[in-house]
Amino acid sequence: MGTLAIKVVGLSKDFKLPHEKTTTIKSAVVNFWHYDRSYETQHALRDVNFEIEKGEFFGIIGRNGSGKSTLLKLLAGIYTPTGGSIEVDGLLTPFIELGVGFNPELTGRENVFLNGALLGFNRREMHSMYKDIVSFAELGRFMDQKLKNYSSGMQVRLAFSIAIRAQSDILLIDEVLAVGDAAFQQKCYDYFRQIKQNKRTVIFVSHDMNAVEEFCDRAALLDKGRVVAIGGSKPIAKKYIQLN
């Protein structure tokens, strides 16, 4: 792919929405031959095309329901496309639904080592990173408490602090800072400035147009599952404001 980190061609994703809702196994068995099996198709994404250069900070913006999160999940390999293709050159780490691998019955400390293993780090490597992870998350006195006693913001802070240790080429970041307080968001933005200086490839989904304009080199505007504009972050942010 040469200088390209990601190439998306004709990408589409459809979901089938059944008209008849089955809430229990018993009702599914009893009504197996009787209920209406019809469904409608939701076109979450339709014929999406774009390219992202290596080292580019690329924004994806749009109103709720425009297809942003679906697009990131396709890029991350969580969803399979209905049509089209995605080419990725490099190791990719998704910052999507952070903390999804956490165990609420384990302590913060135990979850750090569990998530580190999921990222491919061994125990010795996690021991060397542990103090930095806790310091970044600002959760030192809570690390021996069970995660189920953490607030949602505390869990995101811990998950984000672990995830940024991954030495990947491409980062997918989807509104992961929405529940963080202002001080933690500022710390994350400082991290964004660092990775931008290091020329790592970032795909950034946000409703914060100030952040999009500050960090993104280019951006794509989605509306009703289609890319309606791609260009410099400032003019695309203005189009987003006009769309709203």
Side-chain angles (χ1 to χ4, degrees), residues 216-227:
C216 296
D217 304 304
R218 291 188 305 138
L221 176 61
L222 291 181
D223 187 41
K224 298 177 182 178
R226 295 184 183 274
V227 174

Side-chain angles (χ1 to χ4, degrees), residues 55 193-200:
R193 294 185 185 95
Q194 177 185 332
I195 59 178
K196 185 175 176 67
Q197 289 176 355
N198 293 337
K199 296 296 183 181
R200 293 173 73 184

Side-chain angles (χ1 to χ4, degrees), residues 3-19:
T3 62
L4 294 181
I6 293 178
K7 183 177 181 180
V8 174
V9 179
L11 185 65
S12 299
K13 179 61 180 177
D14 297 338
F15 295 99
K16 292 182 178 180
L17 307 178
H19 290 151

Side-chain angles (χ1 to χ4, degrees), residues 71-225:
L71 176 55
L72 254 66
K73 288 176 180 177
L74 285 164
L75 295 174
I78 297 171
Y79 288 162
T80 301
T82 304
S85 65
I86 301 171
E87 294 181 60
V88 178
D89 187 3
L91 182 63
L92 183 150
T93 296
F95 287 48
I96 303 172
E97 297 174 5
L98 282 176
V100 72
F102 279 162
N103 185 330
E105 295 298 329
L106 298 180
T107 66
R109 183 188 303 271
E110 290 166 335
N111 273 289
V112 167
F113 286 91
L114 173 63
N115 263 246
L118 294 175
L119 289 173
F121 294 111
N122 60 39
R123 193 167 185 82
R124 179 179 55 79
E125 289 172 324
M126 289 310 300
H127 269 297
S128 67
M129 299 177 192
Y130 182 78
K131 286 185 179 179
D132 288 338
I133 290 171
V134 175
S135 175
F136 190 95
E138 300 176 357
L139 294 172
R141 58 197 184 93
F142 301 101
M143 294 307 293
D144 291 315
Q145 291 187 20
K146 289 188 176 181
L147 204 77
K148 65 183 180 182
N149 297 321
Y150 283 27
S151 68
S152 58
M154 291 166 69
Q155 291 188 35
V156 166
R157 281 157 56 184
L158 184 60
F160 185 83
S161 185
I162 298 168
I164 62 177
R165 311 296 153 179
Q167 299 301 310
S168 56
D169 306 301
I170 305 169
L171 304 178
L172 304 183
I173 303 175
D174 182 15
E175 291 288 7
V176 296
L177 310 179
V179 298
D181 57 31
F184 184 72
Q185 287 184 13
Q186 186 57 52
K187 185 179 289 191
C188 294
Y189 288 151
D190 290 341
Y191 170 73
F192 290 168
R193 294 185 185 95
Q194 177 185 332
I195 59 178
K196 185 175 176 67
Q197 289 176 355
N198 293 337
K199 296 296 183 181
R200 293 173 73 184
T201 307
V202 179
I203 297 93
F204 181 54
V205 169
S206 180
H207 289 286
D208 183 350
M209 292 303 103
N210 290 327
V212 169
E213 290 187 23
E214 178 179 355
F215 296 111
C216 296
D217 304 304
R218 291 188 305 138
L221 176 61
L222 291 181
D223 187 41
K224 298 177 182 178

